[in-house]
Amino acid sequence: LRDSGKPWSDGQSDAYNSDPEEEEEEEMIFGENDEDLEEMMDFSDLPTSLFACSVHETVFEEDLHRERFEALFRIYDEQVAFQMFKSFRRVRINFSTPEAAARARIELHESEFSGKKLKLYFAQVQNSGEDTDKSYLAPPQPVKQFLISPPASPPVGWSQSEDATPGINYDLLCAVAKLGPGMYKTH
């Protein structure tokens, strides 16, 4: 209908009205612009790994079920690798390309496997120190290294100071000496 410019209904006489704004909107929706289509199909920022959560217990215990589970993902990539986490009931699925991971995620997320819905999530991408995002502030360079706790051994040349002689209160000593045994009751 869009290419022919014909009316929606053959029986009606109203001609198709082509509005430039509507055509531009249709191009955006249908992805007819090649640059937009390439941008939408760019998978370079996606991870190459998925996590399958709440996987049925038989996948970890029986070889037949494990092979059936792995076969689901081998359709998308022949070099796929699996890491089984039985105690968490999760499986990490490592693909060779982000495209394969994205296709598997789109097509298999919440699909039925052994009576349970398969939940697939992209693994978080870990960047090395060189590839860190420049949009975050870096910590300041330390000018001085201050110690939070005292050192395990004293610094060179340190010596302990002498304790001062205690002050003797003679009035207190005299009052205690005047007290005799049995004069006061203790509670």
Side-chain angles (χ1 to χ4, degrees):
L1 291 173
R2 200 167 10 129
D3 295 334
S4 64
K6 292 183 181 178
W8 285 94
S9 171
D10 290 335
Q12 295 181 358
S13 62
D14 294 338
Y16 174 71
N17 184 11
S18 66
D19 185 14
E21 286 184 18
E22 287 181 12
E23 286 180 8
E24 185 177 309
E25 188 175 315
E26 283 181 3
E27 285 181 7
M28 289 175 59
I29 292 171
F30 294 112
E32 290 183 6
N33 188 352
D34 291 336
E35 293 172 7
D36 291 340
L37 187 60
E38 285 180 23
E39 186 176 320
M40 286 174 29
M41 300 303 285
D42 181 26
F43 296 111
S44 62
D45 60 339
L46 289 177
T48 58
S49 298
L50 294 176
F51 272 105
C53 299
S54 302
V55 178
H56 199 276
E57 298 88 15
T58 57
V59 172
F60 303 103
E61 296 166 357
E62 299 176 16
D63 290 337
L64 177 66
H65 286 280
R66 189 184 79 245
E67 289 171 6
R68 282 185 47 228
F69 180 81
E70 291 177 0
L72 288 173
F73 298 96
R74 291 203 192 278
I75 296 169
Y76 302 100
D77 189 2
E78 286 296 320
Q79 290 89 20
V80 68
F82 298 92
Q83 294 171 315
M84 304 286 186
F85 301 104
K86 182 179 178 180
S87 60
F88 296 109
R89 291 184 43 210
R90 294 185 179 179
V91 178
R92 182 180 173 124
I93 305 134
N94 300 315
F95 294 91
S96 59
T97 62
E99 293 86 6
R103 281 189 297 131
R105 164 68 164 87
I106 291 168
E107 294 177 15
L108 295 176
H109 181 63
E110 295 204 353
S111 62
E112 196 78 20
F113 181 77
S114 293
K116 295 191 88 166
K117 278 191 175 181
L118 196 59
K119 305 259 186 185
L120 297 174
Y121 301 100
F122 284 109
Q124 187 175 6
V125 178
Q126 296 291 328
N127 293 331
S128 65
E130 300 167 359
D131 298 335
T132 55
D133 190 5
K134 299 297 181 194
S135 65
Y136 298 114
L137 289 175
Q141 294 296 324
V143 179
K144 293 182 179 178
Q145 295 289 338
F146 292 102
L147 296 176
I148 295 172
S149 60
S153 58
V156 176
W158 182 85
S159 62
Q160 186 172 357
S161 61
E162 294 291 326
D163 290 337
T165 56
I168 300 173
N169 188 345
Y170 292 105
D171 293 332
L172 180 61
L173 288 175
C174 180
V176 170
K178 287 182 182 175
L179 293 174
M183 295 178 89
Y184 299 96
K185 294 181 181 178
T186 58
H187 300 284

